[in-house]
């Protein structure tokens, strides 16, 4: 499976968001925007999809919605031009609805899972698992997400450490679903990214390692290696 590196951006306002996207956009295809509501996670970020409407970056944007009841807001993000929605299994009582909305509106959808949540919480959604194709292709099952995003620590902040027990979770998922796109988010650097890929991940979401670097291009290259 091809490995993809996706820079993660935490921004307090739209100006900050645009500045950070500009830094990374020459080097990647996708950018991951972290969206926090101060409720599902104890932190706030920029959270105004309507501001994206007249903005046209040279990359595809995915929104990592760390917000409660994503089913209420997902349409606003799609309307704003987001091409992949990632929502948390812990944040909604109706994950199928979120996936259905995304599928009907022809955007990709990923389901994120926190370290404390048992993996079987998402099993129902990926039970057609082997049929889950990589990005850009239509999933076969009606509610099959395009990807699973394994959180390597409790979300809410950038710069946290990668919890090593995450590797077992990735291995388990890869064993169950050989063709599933598996992403990892939090604490990614060349060392942890290598471990995650060896365990079976094929998407690496990295925030501070890339954005805090003096040479963003070089940092992305290091991760790719
Ligand atoms: C954490 C966010 C992550 C975070 C990644 O709540 O979902 O995407 O920004 O940042 P690093 O790479 O610094 O852990
Ligand atoms: Zn994220």
């Amino acid at each position: 499976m091809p490995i993809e590196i996706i820079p993660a951006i935490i921004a307090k306002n739209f100006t900050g968001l645009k500045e950070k996207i500009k830094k990374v956009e020459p080097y990647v295809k996708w950018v991951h925007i972290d969206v926090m509501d101060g409720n599902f996670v104890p932190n706030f970020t920029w959270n105004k999809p309507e501001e994206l409407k007249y903005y046209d970056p040279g990359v595809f944007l995915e929104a990592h919605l760390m917000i409660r009841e994503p089913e209420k807001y997902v349409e606003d993000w799609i309307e704003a031009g987001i091409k992949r929605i990632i929502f948390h299994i812990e944040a909604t009582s109706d994950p199928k609805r979120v996936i259905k909305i995304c599928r009907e509106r022809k955007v990709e959808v990923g389901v994120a899972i926190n370290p404390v949540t048992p993996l079987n919480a998402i099993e129902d959604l990926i039970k057609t698992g082997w049929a889950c194709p990589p990005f850009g292709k239509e999933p076969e099952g009606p509610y099959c997400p395009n990807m699973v995003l394994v959180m390597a620590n409790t979300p809410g902040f950038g710069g946290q450490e990668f919890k090593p027990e995450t590797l077992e979770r990735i291995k388990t998922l890869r064993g169950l679903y050989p063709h599933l796109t598996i992403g990892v988010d939090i604490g990614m650097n060349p060392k942890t990214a290598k471990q995650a890929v060896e365990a079976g991940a094929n998407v690496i979401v990295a925030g501070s390692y890339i954005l805090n670097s003096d040479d963003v291009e070089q940092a992305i290259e290091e991760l790719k290696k």
Side-chain angles (χ1 to χ4, degrees):
M1 273 182 146
I3 313 288
E4 181 152 18
I5 309 292
I6 305 188
I9 289 180
I10 294 182
K12 290 287 167 217
N13 53 47
F14 191 44
T15 306
L17 181 84
K18 285 188 288 189
E19 277 170 10
K20 289 181 177 177
I21 292 176
K22 212 169 166 193
K23 273 177 125 179
V24 297
E25 73 180 3
Y27 316 113
V28 290
K29 193 169 158 204
W30 286 88
V31 171
H32 172 111
I33 304 177
D34 284 311
V35 182
M36 307 185 191
D37 66 352
N39 179 356
F40 179 67
V41 291
N43 196 6
F44 286 101
T45 60
W46 170 83
N47 188 354
K48 293 192 182 137
E50 63 277 11
E51 290 186 327
L52 285 175
K53 272 194 187 157
Y54 303 101
Y55 171 57
D56 188 16
V59 284
F60 295 120
L61 300 177
E62 65 179 30
H64 178 190
L65 302 180
M66 287 162 274
I67 62 180
R68 271 197 205 287
E69 303 188 329
E71 59 275 20
K72 289 189 182 163
Y73 309 100
V74 70
E75 297 266 12
D76 297 340
W77 290 96
I78 296 171
E79 206 54 47
I82 289 288
K83 295 290 185 235
R84 185 184 298 133
I85 298 286
I86 300 171
F87 69 98
H88 271 264
I89 191 69
E90 304 86 0
T92 175
S93 56
D94 198 354
K96 288 187 175 172
R97 185 155 157 235
V98 183
I99 294 174
K100 192 159 181 273
I101 295 171
C102 294
R103 298 282 308 282
E104 281 170 2
R105 300 289 307 268
K106 306 272 182 248
V107 303
E108 291 188 14
V109 57
V111 55
I113 181 159
N114 283 345
V116 293
T117 308
L119 289 178
N120 64 18
I122 51 175
E123 226 153 65
D124 183 37
L125 296 175
I126 51 176
K127 58 179 179 260
T128 52
W130 62 270
C132 285
F135 288 159
K137 303 215 173 118
E138 269 294 290
E140 287 178 16
Y143 300 119
C144 186
N146 298 85
M147 75 173 305
V148 169
L149 186 65
V150 179
M151 302 307 296
N153 206 326
T154 307
F157 302 91
Q160 299 190 89
E161 63 155 19
F162 174 82
K163 288 190 169 190
E165 51 270 35
T166 310
L167 296 173
E168 272 315 306
R169 287 162 69 79
I170 297 168
K171 273 187 205 157
T172 304
L173 279 176
R174 178 54 73 221
L176 288 169
Y177 311 109
H179 299 284
L180 177 66
T181 294
I182 301 176
V184 196
D185 188 7
I186 297 190
M188 288 288 103
N189 58 45
K191 184 174 162 231
T192 54
K194 182 168 187 282
Q195 293 170 339
V197 168
E198 281 167 1
N202 63 306
V203 174
I204 300 295
V205 177
S208 44
Y209 183 77
I210 295 175
L211 272 301
N212 292 352
S213 154
D214 294 334
D215 187 341
V216 162
E217 184 179 13
Q218 173 73 16
I220 293 169
E221 278 310 310
E222 290 299 324
L223 286 169
K224 277 189 190 159
K225 273 198 237 156

